[in-house]
Amino acid sequence: MEREFANDGLAEIVWESFARSRDFNGVSLTSLARISSLDLETLKQRLALLIREGKITLAFESVSVNPHIKRLKDLPVGFQISQMENEAPNGICAYPSSAIAVPRLGNDFDDRPYTRRLAIAEPQLLPVFFELPVLERYFRDPRYLCWFGDSNGSISIGNKAYESEETRERDKITIQSFGIGYDSKRRRVVAVLLRYLSDLSAEHQMYWKTHEVDEKCTMNSDYERASIWGAWPEHYSVYIAFIEEQIEINKLCELIGKPPLFKETYDSHKRPIQFCSMLRPTQGCFDNFVHLLDKMISDNIDREFFKGDIPLEESIPRKDGTVEVRQLGTLSLLERWLKRHYRNRDNKDISAETVAPFKKIRKSRQPVAHSIGKDEFDPSLSAKQDELLIEVKIGLTRFRWILSSHPDASLYQAPEWLDGDKIVLY
């Protein structure tokens, strides 16, 4: 239904349409011309003036795909004005500026700070940055299904908890996607787009607000490419490379007629939830990671791989003349198997250096496996975890190369990226 508006009321029409919309949507120029009873050329002239005055902004289908959602930051004033002549009116949507929205919003959404930011027309794909420990609440709560793929992740309430009468409505939340970012010192932070934060309940929005980082941060480039521009990531994480190395090693075992070296392998979406970047740099978190890594390496090695090649036990003479038969550990078996079956091009035995990263993990695990350690906060532990994982990944790569030198593996080809330069620590 057409309405009459005062000459200076066009910004108010844009605001009303935005505020009454279902999802903070813009109003197309086609609809705006109908509502205001202005012809298209007059409308464009009025809009150009309002843009210069900082009262409205325009989104374009050619730039943001869906102009009815304010996805990105405001375009330069000159571009907005000139682009009105280059694009169909139904592919252009108008939005109120914060200068128009803030005084009209009053105290609405005060208990939902991120919904409020959308209500004052901030971009829906604007990243907000948080301390890593913000994730712990959900990762430690079995009611939530959490996935962390190194550069990105997601959180959602599980079906059982969602349907349970014991779960409060405020806790039935989902964060469709979060990613990794970096502060000014290149320390990891969590990046979440404003759109996803606004979907949280008021209580959870306030919780996230308490962990918000108040300095300038940047998004990880791969997460930005995927979440904002819909492009494939350029890199692979060391965690994914670790998982892939174990898969490839087991493939090679089959090619050379051996049982799989590893009892269990994983994929990027089915891996231990703790197998990720450290969320809080504490000794307890580091010890837990070392424990997990050892389980994924030494505890995961299948003794059947060595059967028939080397003895699985050793005999140790006792002082009383008897002999103790002791089962060899998996890392000792791996080192002895390499010592017997492999030399490098220089005819050098490299068994000890190949297994050394795995033994380092086992050695690091042993003190905490038999005692209750003191937990301490130590920012350096994040880098220490990174370095440890890189060493282990290199050890796995070296062993894969060794197996691939077997005559029966002559046709084997590893995934190209696994030996490339695109493996990173996000």
Side-chain angles (χ1 to χ4, degrees), residues 101-391:
V102 170
R104 287 162 175 76
L105 198 60
N107 296 325
D108 292 350
F109 307 115
D110 277 358
D111 61 340
R112 288 182 281 169
Y114 302 110
T115 306
R116 181 178 176 83
R117 290 179 64 174
L118 289 187
I120 61 173
E122 289 196 41
Q124 300 212 7
L125 299 191
L126 182 73
V128 186
F129 299 97
F130 304 89
E131 302 161 323
L132 274 176
V134 73
L135 299 175
E136 281 190 305
R137 170 176 181 171
Y138 305 100
F139 277 60
R140 291 177 179 271
D141 190 333
R143 296 178 302 169
Y144 292 96
L145 303 176
C146 301
W147 174 75
F148 189 11
D150 309 313
S151 68
N152 66 301
S154 61
I155 299 168
S156 64
I157 191 74
N159 288 336
K160 184 177 180 181
Y162 183 84
E163 295 170 358
S164 172
E165 295 181 357
E166 300 298 319
T167 305
R168 296 179 179 181
E169 285 298 318
R170 71 185 189 191
D171 293 326
K172 296 178 180 180
I173 62 97
T174 293
I175 293 183
Q176 185 174 325
S177 175
F178 67 83
I180 286 296
Y182 309 98
D183 67 11
S184 58
K185 296 181 179 178
R186 196 60 185 177
R187 294 174 298 199
R188 295 185 185 105
V189 295
V190 179
V192 188
L193 301 181
L194 198 54
R195 168 72 269 168
Y196 303 140
L197 291 166
S198 72
D199 290 334
L200 296 173
S201 64
E203 292 81 2
H204 282 259
Q205 286 195 37
M206 297 303 291
Y207 164 73
W208 280 77
K209 184 67 178 176
T210 63
H211 287 275
E212 193 171 326
V213 177
D214 59 0
E215 65 173 277
K216 186 176 180 180
C217 300
T218 57
M219 296 177 73
N220 169 268
S221 60
D222 275 347
Y223 184 61
E224 181 178 350
R225 283 167 58 85
S227 61
I228 294 181
W229 307 112
W232 292 106
E234 290 185 281
H235 304 93
Y236 301 85
S237 81
V238 176
Y239 290 88
I240 296 300
F242 174 102
I243 289 170
E244 188 64 32
E245 289 288 6
Q246 290 191 319
I247 292 171
E248 295 301 311
I249 286 170
N250 276 3
K251 288 179 182 178
L252 281 162
C253 291
E254 183 178 4
L255 286 174
I256 66 175
K258 298 289 296 178
L261 180 68
F262 296 108
K263 302 173 193 174
E264 185 176 7
T265 57
Y266 307 88
D267 63 37
S268 59
H269 284 272
K270 292 182 180 179
R271 72 194 216 197
I273 192 171
Q274 303 91 344
F275 190 62
C276 66
S277 299
M278 188 177 289
L279 300 184
R280 185 186 294 274
T282 67
Q283 188 63 49
C285 288
F286 179 78
D287 292 341
N288 288 339
F289 181 79
V290 169
H291 186 86
L292 172 63
L293 204 54
D294 189 52
K295 290 172 70 175
M296 296 176 75
I297 296 287
S298 61
D299 289 354
N300 195 25
I301 291 176
D302 195 336
R303 297 169 62 85
E304 289 295 312
F305 175 87
F306 309 103
K307 205 168 186 178
D309 289 346
I310 57 173
L312 305 185
E313 301 168 336
E314 62 180 350
S315 299
I316 303 174
R318 292 174 173 168
K319 292 180 180 180
D320 61 3
T322 60
V323 176
E324 177 187 358
V325 178
R326 184 179 299 171
Q327 192 177 69
L328 289 166
T330 56
L331 297 183
S332 295
L333 289 173
L334 183 60
E335 185 173 353
R336 294 185 184 201
W337 187 87
L338 285 168
K339 185 183 289 289
R340 173 172 292 189
H341 290 284
Y342 183 78
R343 294 290 186 276
N344 66 9
R345 291 178 180 178
D346 300 323
N347 200 36
K348 179 184 176 183
D349 171 23
I350 60 168
S351 58
E353 63 184 86
T354 302
V355 180
F358 312 144
K359 285 189 171 181
K360 183 177 180 179
I361 295 294
R362 171 48 60 102
K363 186 177 180 180
S364 299
R365 172 185 172 179
Q366 285 174 340
V368 295
H370 306 290
S371 63
I372 300 176
K374 183 180 179 181
D375 198 10
E376 294 181 346
F377 186 90
D378 182 355
S380 70
L381 288 171
S382 292
K384 187 176 179 181
Q385 175 174 310
D386 292 344
E387 292 165 4
L388 200 59
L389 183 64
I390 290 172
E391 289 181 33

